[in-house]
Every structure is written in structure tokens, then in C-alpha cells.
Amino acid sequence: MTTKKQETQNKMWGGRFEAAPSDIMQQINASIDVDHRLWRQDIAGSKAHCAMLVSQGIISPEDGQAITQGLDLVANEIDEGRFEFKVELEDIHMNIEGRLRELIGDVAGKLHTARSRNDQVATDFKLWVREACQDACDKITSLQNTIEDLVEKYDDHIMPGFTHLQVAQPVTLNIHLDAYWNMLERDRTRFVDCHNRLNQSPLGACALSGTGFNTDREMTAHMLGFDGAMDNTMDAVSARDFAVEFLFCSAQCGLNLSRLSEEIILWATPQFGFMTLSDDWSTGSSIMPQKKNPDAAELVRAKTGRLNGNLLQLMTVMKALPLAYNKDMQEDKASVFESFDTLSLCLEAMTGMLESATFHKEPMRAAAESGYATATEIADWLVRNLDMPFRDAHHVTGRIVKMAEEKNCQLDELDLSDMQAVEERITDDIYEYLNCEKAIESRLPKS
Ligand code: ARG
């Protein structure tokens, strides 16, 4: 990136100005350090626009060809790292057009016929977010595949299910992991929805009220893979809900990843001992040799802060903005780019961490058998066999649990006579239900 003080008026909009912008004005006005990431979309949008101008007889085929070839040259320069981004040319749109003019001369100026940077930037940004949605979906799918592999590999691991982080009822690792698969499926389809909703083209809306030239907005829309052109030109240039929605989708997915991270952090402690992270997904402590820290999980948990912050940032920018375009909206891209990068990294880290993690059957099973996880089974037995109202059964079971606590034993270690001292009609077959497998099986959804 180069920065030169503009000595003369801006060639693209400076006709009515006598002085060049001050240094700080140039600095606050420029967005090239952020929006250079839109270069591919900007070239694609310009090529579609140029083809439409030719097809509608607005510019000549020769001019159209010169512009298209010139745009390809610019694209190559950027792709190969030979392009000099200039802060004095403000943004990606004017950087590309400026270079086009250097390469093909004044005919480059015809490209902006029947177009404004307002519809241009909205189009570029939508194209970028559309691809980002697709990419996020692919990364979520990879993580879901990893979870499916774990579900297959650890299909006989019993573990405690928690409420309030207290042992509640026995479940399986499968069921627990499958919950995350389902959460991720909603995250994925949320990105699909975002993609589908945004897929209407703003191009051709021009500054805000359309153009007097005989343009074909449907043509450019379809060339760029949109489903059609946006109905209302003022809406087309001022809508950023697609970006806010993308930020929400990212934040929500990050939030789900943070919950999984939290569980990994807990499960990998020696106290839980449910799982071990591989060495390449852990770090050590420089002072305590015994430590193996789950840094990646902690960082995925923490990065939710950025994802949430970015969502709030753009919602705050957009709040109370009058129609149509306002320069405030230039502040829409940094957070979208950052959320995309952050979420991509988090999804990849989570996939890598889980792929290489090992789960431990015995500690999980021991935890499921402790904490009176099958107490609900006693209550249900009393209801089924003695026709006891559930509230009463709950109370009776509570007394049995208390007795086990006093004797410092598990429920299935109590003698039948102990249980009968609380409720004399309890019979031997109740023990069968105190087994974790049986408890889990009885609770599987009935079809
Ligand atoms: N860099 C600007 C942005 O990202 C492009 C649109 C500028 N439009 C204008 N009327 N100044 O919003």
C-alpha cells in the first residue's frame, strides 16, 4: 500500500473542487486497506456491467473489448502481487479504475456509465459475503463429519449427562456429540438462508434512483449468479442487513463452538479425565512441567467476544441511518472480514482438535455411575409398579438417595431391606433399572 499526499483534485470526483483533501481527510476517507479484499468481486462486477453496456448499445463493442481486456490485465497484476494499491485513490473501486485508465487510456472512463460506486460496492460486497457463506458451510460440514466419525468410533461410551453441571442422568457420548452435530446443522442452514436471502443484485441501482440509460439489470444479475435484480433501487444501495445477518450467523456458530470448547476444557482436566487432547493440539506451561493446556479450545471460547462485538459494531453503524447511501456504511466491511476469518479459524481448530482427541471409557462410566444418576429410574419404577403419583415417588426416591448418601454407597449397593425400610412394597427387580445401560435404553426416543 502506498500513500501519497494528493496534490490535485481527485480525478474521479474532484471536478468542482479547488483544493485536494488534507492528509487526515485522505486518511479517514480511504478504505483501501480493508476493501482491497473485494478485488475479485469488483473485477467480476465491472466485467458484467461492461458486457451489459455493450449488449444494450450504450458503449461500442470495441470500447467494451478494450475495457474487458484491461480489467483482465489489472486482475493479473493484483493476483500476482504486482499491483500498487494507492491510499490516495481511496478504495478498491477507484484503485482498479485508476489502473485501468493507465493501461487503456481514457476509454476506461466509459465503464462507469450508468453505474455509481454505491451500487458497485453493494454488489461487490454481496458477492463476497455469498462466497463466505458457502465457505463457512463447507467448514461446518467438515466439523460435522469429524463428529460423525467420533460418534461411530465411541458408540459404547456411557457418560453422565449434566444439568446445572451436576450429574443428572446417564447418557452416551454419542448422544452428547450428536447434540453438537444438530446445533451445527442449524448454524450451517442459517448460512444457507443468509446466502439465499442476499442473492438479489443491487447493480444498476446507480447512486440511488436508477439510471436514464437503457440498462438491463436482469442481465448483469444473472451474469453474476444472482437470482434477479433488487426491486427497489434505494433499498439496493442502502441495505446492509445481509452483512448484519452474516455477522449474526457467524456469532451464533461461534457461540455454539464456545460451548463445545468449554466442555472440552472441562473434560480434559484430570478431575474429569473424560478425554485427552493430542500433543499437537495442546501447549505446555513454562513453569509447571505437568501441565497440558487446552489453549486452542480456550481461544475458540474467547474468540466469541470478537464475533459478538462485530455484530454489535455493524448494527450500531446502521442504526438510524437515513436512506440511501451514507459514508458510514464504508465501516461495514472490516468486521465482516474479521468475523469470517475468525470463524474459519475456530471451525478448523475445533475440527483438528476433535479429530485427534481420545475419549476414555472408564472415567466416563465411573462418573455416570456416581452421583446417583439413576435415581429417576427408582421414581419411575414406583410410578409404574405401585401406581404411585410421580410427586410422591420423587419424595420416596429422595429418601432412598439420602440413605445411600449416609451409607456412602451407590444406589445399587443398597440392600433391598434398606429400600424397603423407606417403601415396603419395593421388590428385587428394581435393581435391574439401576443399571446405566438400561436407564439410557429406556429413555431413547420411541418411534
Ligand atoms: N468505499 C465506499 C464504501 O465502501 C464506496 C462507496 C462510496 N460512495 C460514495 N458515494 N462516496 O462504502
Side-chain angles (χ1 to χ4, degrees), residues 88-105:
E88 60 275 20
L89 288 181
E90 269 182 56
D91 57 23
I92 187 61
H93 323 293
M94 300 212 289
N95 265 270
I96 288 180
E97 197 186 315
R99 181 64 184 141
L100 185 67
R101 187 180 285 263
E102 282 174 8
L103 290 171
I104 66 168

Side-chain angles (χ1 to χ4, degrees), residues 13 29-32 35 38 90-93 116-119 121 240 325-333:
W13 49 250
N29 204 31
S31 56
I32 188 64
D35 63 25
L38 295 177
E90 269 182 56
D91 57 23
I92 187 61
H93 323 293
S116 146
R117 266 190 299 158
N118 298 349
D119 58 337
V121 71
R240 290 295 181 274
Y325 179 84
N326 300 272
K327 193 66 175 245
D328 310 48
M329 287 153 69
Q330 179 165 282
E331 290 294 312
D332 57 357
K333 290 165 213 77

Side-chain angles (χ1 to χ4, degrees), residues 118-233:
N118 298 349
D119 58 337
Q120 187 178 0
V121 71
T123 306
D124 294 1
F125 197 22
K126 274 194 162 186
L127 290 173
W128 195 95
V129 172
R130 196 173 71 183
E131 246 178 73
C133 286
Q134 185 55 53
D135 202 88
C137 284
D138 292 346
K139 292 203 168 75
I140 293 174
T141 303
S142 297
L143 177 55
Q144 286 179 301
N145 290 341
T146 298
I147 291 178
E148 274 174 32
D149 291 346
L150 294 177
V151 165
E152 228 168 85
K153 187 166 168 195
Y154 296 106
D155 68 340
D156 60 348
H157 281 37
I158 288 178
M159 67 176 290
F162 300 90
T163 61
H164 312 263
L165 203 54
Q166 305 287 325
V167 172
Q169 288 168 344
V171 293
T172 61
L173 179 58
N174 283 356
I175 301 175
H176 201 121
L177 291 174
D178 182 61
Y180 281 102
W181 191 96
N182 280 280
M183 288 148 81
L184 288 164
E185 182 61 3
R186 289 194 298 279
D187 291 336
R188 193 185 66 77
T189 52
R190 221 172 261 125
F191 279 112
V192 173
D193 290 346
C194 176
H195 172 145
N196 292 342
R197 203 172 354 268
L198 72 72
N199 209 28
Q200 301 283 329
S201 175
L203 196 57
C206 291
L208 74 164
S209 63
T211 173
F213 290 97
N214 178 30
T215 54
D216 183 348
R217 295 189 60 206
E218 291 299 322
M219 176 181 169
T220 47
H222 289 119
M223 282 185 81
L224 294 169
F226 287 109
D227 298 330
M230 286 177 83
D231 276 347
N232 183 299
T233 57

Side-chain angles (χ1 to χ4, degrees), residues 307-361:
L307 297 172
N308 291 354
N310 288 339
L311 171 62
L312 192 61
Q313 181 271 344
L314 188 54
M315 290 207 297
T316 310
V317 167
M318 295 308 295
K319 182 202 169 276
L321 275 191
L323 298 186
Y325 179 84
N326 300 272
K327 193 66 175 245
D328 310 48
M329 287 153 69
Q330 179 165 282
E331 290 294 312
D332 57 357
K333 290 165 213 77
S335 43
V336 167
F337 293 160
E338 198 203 30
S339 280
F340 171 75
D341 293 342
T342 301
L343 184 66
S344 299
L345 190 61
C346 289
L347 284 165
E348 283 171 350
M350 188 54 83
T351 306
M353 242 185 309
L354 286 182
E355 250 166 20
S356 56
T358 331
F359 290 86
H360 307 304
K361 195 168 177 174

Side-chain angles (χ1 to χ4, degrees), residues 420-440:
Q420 284 171 338
V422 178
E423 167 52 63
E424 58 180 5
R425 290 172 293 166
I426 291 178
T427 54
D428 216 8
D429 68 308
I430 199 166
Y431 285 98
E432 191 188 321
Y433 296 90
L434 301 183
N435 157 292
C436 286
E437 277 88 355
K438 183 92 185 184
I440 293 167

